[in-house]
Amino acid sequence: MKIVVLVSGGGTNLQAIFDAIDNGSITNTEVAGVISNNPGAYALERAKKRGIPALCVSPKQFASRAEFNDAWLAAAQSFSPDLVVLAGCLVVISEAMVHAFTNRIINIHPALIPSFCGKGYYGLKVHEAALERGVRVTGATVHFVDAGTDTGPIILQKAVYIQEGDTPEILQRRVMEEAEWIILPAAIDLIANGRIQVEDGKVHIADYTFGTI
Ligand code: GRF
């Protein structure tokens, strides 16, 4: 399975994908390319170090959002991917792209959807909201991308307990280490090995025991 990974920042989720391919926990998968909307994204350096095509398609290069959206979609399609992975990607995916890759785009969100998600909930803001609400458990979610924001069929989730003294930065790091970097590679491997079916907006995983990762 060929994947293209869309990124905006440090690329720790991208690195988790690379590491999982190297240690065999992701099989049948090749990262064909990495695309960022942010020229300064360290994720691009991670791709270059690995000899993987790394493109920057920035909104600043275009006169309108529509032209950026077209170029963003064309860049993803240029790798002929079987799966598009949003890994720390802050670009709002256009309806045209969602339709071009129906149930073939996945996203990692740093909370247990439907909590702390939707418009305005990204990066540290998600963890600030969880701490503000005083929840005991947060975590991460991998889901298919549909036309909404964080509303597509859920594939995997993993819980992380909040501890006394957590700051948004401490919590973000723990959610990445204990959840994101585990369930995103796991979801990619399941898809690469034909273990995922979407029926009536729900994801079914064959022969899978939840909570084991
Ligand atoms: C992190 O906040 C992560 O929770 C979210 O995107 C941000 C950066 O991720 N998914 P990365 O290090 O660029 O993968």
Side-chain angles (χ1 to χ4, degrees):
M1 176 175 78
K2 270 205 307 185
I3 70 174
V4 65
V5 186
L6 309 186
V7 298
S8 296
T12 63
N13 279 286
L14 173 68
Q15 191 61 53
I17 294 168
F18 289 157
D19 296 347
I21 289 172
D22 291 345
N23 70 31
S25 50
I26 291 181
T27 57
N28 285 336
T29 299
E30 173 207 350
V31 180
V34 174
I35 306 169
S36 180
N37 60 311
N38 167 11
Y42 187 67
L44 291 172
E45 295 310 310
R46 294 179 192 269
K48 287 171 189 166
K49 276 187 197 160
R50 202 171 165 93
I52 289 174
L55 306 181
C56 178
V57 178
S58 164
K60 297 188 176 64
Q61 297 163 345
F62 301 92
S64 71
R65 186 74 197 183
E67 287 169 281
F68 164 73
N69 284 339
D70 291 347
W72 184 255
L73 172 54
Q77 289 174 315
S78 72
F79 292 103
S80 307
D82 302 298
L83 181 70
V84 178
V85 180
L86 308 184
C89 181
L90 299 179
V91 174
V92 175
I93 302 301
S94 67
E95 288 223 14
M97 185 157 184
V98 172
H99 291 308
F101 293 102
T102 301
N103 284 335
R104 290 198 296 141
I105 306 174
I106 64 173
N107 179 48
I108 177 84
H109 181 74
L112 296 176
I113 290 174
S115 295
F116 312 116
C117 65
K119 285 194 184 353
Y121 285 98
Y122 57 89
L124 275 180
K125 294 173 189 286
V126 174
H127 306 292
E128 287 164 0
L131 290 169
E132 174 60 28
R133 180 64 183 82
V135 295
R136 294 293 182 219
V137 177
T138 187
T141 303
V142 183
H143 63 96
F144 284 109
V145 172
D146 64 7
T149 303
D150 303 327
T151 52
I154 290 172
I155 303 169
L156 292 174
Q157 295 187 300
K158 187 162 175 51
V160 172
Y161 278 90
I162 287 175
Q163 305 297 345
E164 281 298 327
D166 272 351
T167 63
E169 291 77 7
I170 291 170
L171 182 55
Q172 177 180 55
R173 183 74 194 183
R174 189 182 311 123
V175 168
M176 285 201 273
E177 287 175 345
E178 297 183 7
E180 295 180 42
W181 300 344
I182 293 167
I183 62 175
L184 184 57
I188 292 168
D189 184 61
L190 287 168
I191 295 167
N193 290 286
R195 303 271 302 279
I196 298 272
Q197 299 295 332
V198 182
E199 282 157 33
D200 300 330
K202 298 288 186 303
V203 174
H204 299 276
I205 305 180
D207 307 321
Y208 191 79
T209 305
F210 292 93
T212 50
I213 53 167

